[in-house]
Amino acid sequence: MAGKVRHPIDTAALERYITEHVPEIKVPLDVKQFGFGQSNPTYQLTSPSGSKYVLRKKPAGKLVSQAAHKVEREHRIIHALRNTSVPVPQAYTLCTDSSVLGTPFYIMSFITGRIFEDAAMPTATPTQRTELWKAAVEALASLHRVDPDSVGLSTYGKKTGFYDRQLATWTQICALQAATTDIETGVPVGEIPHMSALMSFFSNASLRPKDKATLVHGDYKIDNVVFATNEARVAGILDWEMSTIGHPLSDLANFLHPFVSASMSSRISTSSSSSSDKTAVASVVSHPSFLPNATPGLPTPAQILTWYSAAAGWTPSAEDVAWACAFSVFRLAAICQGIAARVARRQASSAEAQKHAAAMPLLGEFAWELVRREQEKARGAGAGAKL
C-alpha cells in the first residue's frame, strides 16, 4: 500500500524529465511511497487520468555496497523479458542522470492485482491457496526456461561458477556491512553468527550442487509476485535487482524458505527477548503457518518440487535442495545484515527495516543449524553421502 513519502524526491524535476522522455505519462503527478522496497525506495506515480506507474530509485547518500541497489539491472531484465511467457511489468524509462532525482531510477507500469504480504495467504480458501502457489511455481519455472541469449541477456551473468561468485561477493559485502557503525552510537553492526564456519562449509566445492545456468530472479518469493485479481494466475513478478544468470536452485531455495524456517518459531518464542521484539522478528524470519499440516491448502515442499520439475524440465536432488536451502538462509542473513547497515547509516527505505535488521543473528544461527543437520544426515548415511 502506497502512502506517506518518507524519502522525498523532487517532483518538479521528475515531471520535467517525464514530459521530455516519457510523453505517454501525463503530468502533474501525485506521488506516494510504498512501504515495501527494503533496498530501493519505491514510489507510486498517479497521473491526472488516474493511471498509475511505479518509480524505483537507488537510495540517497553513500552506499555501503555498490553490488546492491541495481535499478539498472531491474530495468534491463524486465525490458528484455517483455515478449516472453514470464509475467513482468512494462518498462518505460531508465534514467542514469543523477542530477534529476539525486540517484538513478526507472519507471515501470503498475500491475493491478493481489499481493500477499503473508505467504500463507490467510484470505484465500484452501483450494485457492493451492492453485496460487502452483501458479507461482510455474511462473518461476517459466523464467528458468528462458534462454538468456534469445532475449539479449547473454552478458547478464556468467554461465559457470555461480556459487563461487556468490561466496566471493557475500564475503566481501558482509565484511563491509559488519564494520558499518551507527552514526549516533558508533556501535558496529557486527558479523553474522558462525560466519567463518559457514564460509568454510559452503566453500567446499565437493559438497555443492553441480553447475547449472539459467536466468534467476534472485529474490523469488510470494510477496514479490502480483496475482491476477480473480484467478490463480501470476500477473507480474517484481523486485529484480538481484537477478542474474545463475543456478536455478538459488531461486527455488529462496521460494521454499517459509517451509524451511517454520521451525524457528519455537526458538523465538522461548528466547529472552521482549514480547514485542519476538513478534517483530518472528514476522520476518519464521511463520508457524508453514509447519506441516498447519494451513489447509498449502503445498508441501515435495509437492512444490514436483510441480517445478514438471514445468522446468529438470529434477533437482534432495541433497542439492538441502544445500541450497542452507545457503539461502545464510544469504537472507546477509541481506538482513545489509538492512542493519542501512539502519545504522539512517538510509533504511522501509518501515519494516528495524525488524529485518534484528533478524540477522537468528538467521545466522539457523543457517549453521541447517548445515550441521545435513552433516549429521551425511554421517548417518555413510561416506557416499553428499553432505
Side-chain angles (χ1 to χ4, degrees):
M1 181 71 69
K4 180 181 178 182
V5 174
R6 303 182 306 281
H7 299 84
I9 58 175
D10 187 338
T11 302
L14 173 63
E15 290 175 347
R16 289 193 296 271
Y17 175 87
I18 286 175
T19 299
E20 181 177 355
H21 298 280
V22 201
E24 59 264 49
I25 299 179
K26 305 304 178 185
V27 299
L29 299 169
D30 176 66
V31 180
K32 296 180 179 179
Q33 187 171 358
F34 288 102
F36 61 79
Q38 298 297 340
S39 178
N40 297 313
T42 304
Y43 302 83
Q44 177 182 282
L45 312 178
T46 305
S47 72
S49 67
S51 298
K52 295 180 180 180
Y53 309 89
V54 175
L55 182 150
R56 294 262 285 171
K57 71 183 291 291
K58 291 187 179 184
K62 183 179 179 181
L63 302 179
V64 175
S65 169
Q66 296 301 319
H69 318 290
K70 296 288 190 177
V71 296
E72 299 92 343
R73 291 183 70 82
E74 287 189 303
H75 176 271
R76 181 181 176 188
I77 192 168
I78 65 174
H79 181 69
L81 292 173
R82 64 193 183 280
N83 294 322
T84 71
S85 62
V86 184
V88 292
Q90 177 183 349
Y92 284 97
T93 187
L94 170 68
C95 176
T96 58
D97 180 358
S98 294
S99 69
V100 179
L101 294 184
T103 59
F105 67 90
Y106 76 95
I107 299 174
M108 62 182 170
S109 61
F110 177 89
I111 299 176
T112 300
R114 296 173 290 172
I115 296 178
F116 292 94
E117 295 183 6
D118 184 339
M121 303 178 178
T123 59
T125 67
T127 298
Q128 290 170 339
R129 199 171 285 123
T130 304
E131 292 174 345
L132 289 164
W133 268 81
K134 185 178 183 182
V137 172
E138 292 175 343
L140 177 61
S142 72
L143 170 64
H144 292 170
R145 289 197 309 266
V146 173
D147 176 8
D149 296 355
S150 71
V151 293
L153 294 175
S154 59
T155 61
Y156 202 61
K158 296 181 180 179
K159 297 181 179 179
T160 58
F162 172 74
Y163 280 114
D164 279 325
R165 295 194 306 280
Q166 284 281 295
L167 283 163
T169 296
W170 285 115
T171 298
Q172 180 182 31
I173 291 174
C174 287
L176 291 171
Q177 293 173 169
T180 300
T181 57
D182 189 283
I183 61 174
E184 295 177 4
T185 67
V187 176
V189 169
E191 278 198 342
I192 294 170
H194 308 286
M195 182 67 179
S196 295
L198 286 166
M199 291 300 95
S200 177
F201 173 79
F202 291 130
S203 296
N204 188 335
S206 67
L207 305 179
R208 280 191 226 132
K210 291 182 179 179
D211 263 346
K212 186 175 179 65
T214 67
L215 288 172
V216 294
H217 178 274
D219 192 22
Y220 194 76
K221 53 184 180 175
I222 289 295
D223 65 356
N224 277 334
V225 171
V226 182
F227 293 95
T229 303
N230 295 312
E231 58 181 311
R233 176 178 59 82
V234 174
I237 302 170
L238 307 177
D239 202 359
W240 292 85
E241 71 169 302
M242 301 181 83
S243 59
T244 187
I245 294 175
H247 204 299
L249 273 176
S250 62
D251 275 345
L252 195 56
N254 195 68
F255 190 65
L256 289 170
H257 179 78
F259 299 92
V260 174
S261 65
S263 62
M264 291 181 68
S265 57
S266 60
R267 180 184 311 161
I268 295 168
S269 66
T270 58
S271 71
S272 59
S273 302
S274 69
S275 178
S276 59
D277 287 344
K278 290 177 185 178
T279 300
V281 174
S283 69
V284 173
V285 302
S286 183
H287 200 325
S289 296
F290 284 83
L291 290 168
N293 305 312
T295 306
L298 273 182
T300 64
Q303 181 63 71
I304 289 172
L305 291 172
T306 297
W307 288 337
Y308 175 83
S309 298
W314 73 288
T315 303
S317 71
E319 293 81 8
D320 284 350
V321 171
W323 190 99
C325 284
F327 187 85
S328 182
V329 172
F330 157 72
R331 179 175 168 274
L332 183 55
I335 291 170
C336 287
Q337 184 191 46
I339 296 171
R342 290 193 289 279
V343 169
R345 296 183 66 88
R346 305 302 184 264
Q347 292 177 315
S349 64
S350 169
E352 298 291 296
Q354 293 284 354
K355 297 179 185 179
H356 286 79
M360 181 268 283
L362 282 170
L363 287 163
E365 293 285 356
F366 188 57
W368 181 236
E369 179 182 317
L370 291 177
V371 167
R372 295 183 65 185
R373 188 184 302 172
E374 294 306 317
Q375 288 174 328
E376 287 296 323
K377 287 181 183 178
R379 280 192 283 270
K386 185 165 186 177
L387 293 181

